[in-house]
Amino acid sequence: MWILLFLSTLNTIGQNLEKLKSNTKKIYDANYTMDFEAVTELTYPSIVAQIGKEQFIAQLDANYQNDEFRMRLEIVNPTFSYSNIKKIESHSFCVISYKNPVRYFFENKLDGLSAPRRVALLKQTTLATDVIFEPKRNSISVKRNSKLIAVYDDNTNFQWMFFNFDDVGQRQLFYTTFNNNVKKELGL
């Protein structure tokens, strides 16, 4: 009897982990191809509800391309590092880390004054230390380590959905949505 329960539990955990890995790849691919509808569907519901779906999609689009720059993810085959899945209260969490280099192409020529300011700003907002201005391309390369926080709970209809910690607003919303115990348990 206990053996059957144990095997059933292992099977459920395995299926849950496979779904987590599948959804992680989906949200990464959606960000890479700028499929903001798909990103929205995989984003934790309270993030989208806070500003509305159409505004959320418009905000994503503006993060990737606006009057100042175009941001593009660089081509990589990401290796996702998954923490242990932790059940805290009525939620399951997993912290996913991966290397996620991006390049910002600026619409107006950056000079000796504006380039260092942009580099400093990108270091601050992306939490990256490897931020390099490339004058010939009028771009800034950011080698960053990205982090997604996957959540599985009744708010997600028991599907894995994500907080993108590259986004300052999503990171702050995670901190206000979940208590200090969750942050401590996840090492955030």
Side-chain angles (χ1 to χ4, degrees):
M1 173 92 153
W2 288 107
I3 292 174
L4 288 176
L5 180 61
F6 177 73
L7 291 175
S8 175
T9 301
L10 281 180
N11 187 40
T12 301
I13 291 170
Q15 288 174 352
N16 203 4
L17 182 59
E18 287 308 310
K19 188 63 177 169
L20 170 62
K21 288 180 177 182
S22 172
N23 282 4
T24 302
K25 180 78 168 110
K26 285 178 187 176
I27 198 164
Y28 174 83
D29 289 345
N31 274 294
Y32 182 79
T33 61
M34 296 170 45
D35 181 353
F36 302 132
E37 187 77 33
V39 171
T40 302
E41 291 175 16
L42 290 164
T43 297
Y44 195 76
S46 65
I47 298 168
V48 178
Q50 183 178 15
I51 62 173
K53 182 178 179 180
E54 296 306 315
Q55 182 62 30
F56 181 74
I57 291 172
Q59 182 181 340
L60 285 172
D61 187 53
N63 289 342
Y64 276 79
Q65 51 200 10
N66 54 58
D67 293 339
E68 294 181 52
F69 61 81
R70 290 169 285 119
M71 182 199 63
R72 298 296 183 263
L73 300 179
E74 293 183 15
I75 298 173
V76 294
N77 187 12
T79 301
F80 299 107
S81 173
Y82 296 87
S83 70
N84 290 329
I85 295 173
K86 294 192 177 191
K87 179 97 168 137
I88 305 169
E89 299 163 6
S90 61
H91 316 278
S92 292
F93 297 93
C94 183
V95 178
I96 304 152
S97 303
Y98 59 102
K99 293 189 183 314
N100 191 23
V102 297
R103 184 176 307 279
Y104 292 82
F105 297 93
F106 290 87
E107 301 302 329
N108 296 316
K109 188 77 174 149
L110 296 178
D111 60 27
L113 294 174
S114 59
R117 285 194 300 250
R118 288 286 185 174
V119 166
L121 180 62
L122 286 170
K123 280 184 178 182
Q124 179 184 5
T125 58
T126 65
L127 305 177
T129 55
D130 192 3
V131 180
I132 302 166
F133 174 56
E134 298 175 338
K136 290 182 181 179
R137 298 174 89 176
N138 196 43
S139 70
I140 296 177
S141 174
V142 178
K143 306 292 187 223
R144 65 183 182 183
N145 293 315
S146 291
K147 189 177 292 185
L148 296 169
I149 309 301
V151 183
Y152 179 93
D153 62 16
D154 60 344
N155 295 316
T156 67
N157 292 320
F158 300 101
Q159 299 295 317
W160 286 106
M161 294 188 174
F162 303 91
F163 283 84
N164 179 353
F165 265 42
D166 289 339
D167 182 284
V168 175
Q170 288 190 37
R171 190 168 50 237
Q172 290 172 341
L173 188 58
F174 179 85
Y175 291 139
T176 59
T177 302
F178 298 103
N179 64 38
N180 286 333
N181 181 44
V182 169
K183 292 179 263 186
K184 180 181 168 191
E185 287 288 323
L186 297 178
L188 301 173

